[in-house]
């Protein structure tokens, strides 16, 4: 089975722009979660989608949003980029939602905001 | 204050040594995860547990719900075990919080 894939792997944007990241889960997995990792804050939970619905959300501003499609693929969008949004963005998929199932992580998208 | 505390922050061991990494959390949890992150960023889930003990190869994870504490043990450590190990907890099935990680270096 193919693992979780994320595109693009690297991205450079400037302040004020917006960005969309994509995540394709393992076949059969219906839950996709997103995480931000920075040197200062470490790993933080962004949100979880299951069956095209956002089920859980971390403590991030509304500039961070996401969606999930009927094939379980998910996208994450960050609008009005700030320097502090520079981070590694990871997605993970699992069979069930609720963050109590084994999470299978993708390789991440490294976003640099200039 | 981080709700998930890991210790030690850094750990250097000689090949073959027995290693223990500890994780403490503050309130009741739905599940606890042990993750491994290699240089370059890729994260692998090692264990997900809500009670008792799990074993996979040379890795053992235990959790004590009453004491709000979990340990990850590596027996017969090897240089390929060098990585950052991260403890994460799920609260109320709707939030996940992460420890700061333990950077393990195993020297041959």
């Amino acid at each position: 089975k193919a693992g979780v894939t994320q595109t693009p792997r690297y991205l450079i944007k400037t302040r004020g722009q917006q960005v969309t990241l994509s995540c394709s889960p393992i076949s059969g997995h219906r839950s996709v979660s997103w995480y931000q990792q920075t040197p200062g804050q470490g790993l933080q939970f962004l949100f979880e989608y299951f069956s095209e619905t956002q089920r859980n959300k971390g403590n991030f501003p509304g500039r961070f949003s996401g969606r999930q499609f009927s094939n379980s693929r998910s996208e994450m969008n960050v609008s009005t980029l700030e320097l502090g949004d520079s981070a590694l963005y990871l997605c993970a998929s699992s069979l069930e939602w609720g963050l109590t199932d084994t999470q299978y992580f993708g390789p991440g998208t490294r976003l640099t905001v200039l | 204050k981080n709700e998930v505390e890991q210790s030690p922050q850094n750990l250097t061991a000689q090949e073959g040594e027995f290693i223990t990494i500890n994780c403490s959390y503050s309130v009741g949890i739905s599940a606890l995860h042990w993750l491994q992150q290699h240089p370059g960023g890729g994260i692998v889930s090692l264990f997900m547990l809500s009670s008792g003990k799990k074993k996979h190869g040379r890795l053992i994870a235990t959790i004590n719900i009453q004491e709000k504490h979990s340990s990850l043990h590596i027996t017969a450590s090897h240089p390929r075990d060098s990585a950052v190990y991260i403890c994460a907890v799920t609260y109320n099935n709707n939030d996940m919080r992460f420890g700061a990680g333990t950077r393990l270096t195993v020297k041959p």
Side-chain angles (χ1 to χ4, degrees):
Chain A
K1 243 183 205 182
V4 177
T5 59
Q6 291 187 244
T7 57
R9 293 292 310 278
Y10 302 90
L11 206 47
I12 300 175
K13 293 284 188 179
T14 56
R15 277 181 300 173
Q17 287 187 310
Q18 75 164 13
V19 67
T20 299
L21 312 181
S22 180
C23 174
S24 292
I26 291 171
S27 177
H29 285 192
R30 295 165 62 195
S31 172
V32 174
S33 302
W34 288 89
Y35 305 88
Q36 181 197 63
Q37 186 175 37
T38 60
Q41 298 294 320
L43 272 163
Q44 297 183 87
F45 168 66
L46 279 157
F47 28 64
E48 179 185 26
Y49 284 85
F50 182 87
S51 292
E52 302 177 65
T53 303
Q54 186 181 88
R55 300 290 175 148
N56 294 305
K57 188 176 191 301
N59 188 27
F60 276 81
R63 299 186 297 108
F64 292 81
S65 63
R67 58 178 176 168
Q68 186 180 35
F69 301 94
S70 58
N71 62 357
S72 294
R73 188 177 71 86
S74 177
E75 287 182 348
M76 187 193 111
N77 185 77
V78 188
S79 62
T80 320
L81 284 166
E82 301 176 0
L83 295 179
D85 297 332
S86 294
L88 179 67
Y89 290 89
L90 294 148
C91 77
S93 74
S94 60
L95 285 168
E96 296 295 334
W97 69 281
L99 305 173
T100 56
D101 208 2
T102 298
Q103 303 280 302
Y104 294 85
F105 287 83
T109 294
R110 189 165 296 278
L111 171 65
T112 301
V113 182
L114 302 175
Chain B
K1 181 177 180 238
N2 195 335
E3 298 167 19
V4 183
E5 301 286 345
Q6 274 188 248
S7 63
Q9 279 188 298
N10 295 283
L11 182 56
T12 300
Q14 288 297 130
E15 184 174 355
E17 285 185 358
F18 180 85
I19 287 161
T20 296
I21 299 170
N22 296 298
C23 176
S24 298
Y25 50 91
S26 53
V27 296
I29 61 171
S30 309
L32 185 141
H33 309 255
W34 280 104
L35 310 173
Q36 180 192 56
Q37 186 170 32
H38 280 282
I43 293 180
V44 173
S45 177
L46 298 174
F47 296 102
M48 194 281 295
L49 62 166
S50 55
S51 64
K53 176 180 174 178
K54 287 190 177 180
K55 183 176 188 293
H56 185 255
R58 296 179 295 106
L59 302 178
I60 303 166
T62 64
I63 187 168
N64 185 317
I65 298 296
Q66 286 72 33
E67 294 186 4
K68 297 183 177 57
H69 180 269
S70 175
S71 293
L72 175 68
H73 305 286
I74 304 175
T75 62
S77 59
H78 190 275
R80 64 175 175 267
D81 296 326
S82 297
V84 175
Y85 293 83
I86 302 167
C87 171
V89 299
T90 299
Y91 292 110
N92 299 319
N93 288 42
N94 65 12
D95 191 16
M96 187 179 278
R97 300 296 174 101
F98 296 84
T102 295
R103 185 174 299 277
L104 172 66
T105 302
V106 182
K107 295 186 174 180

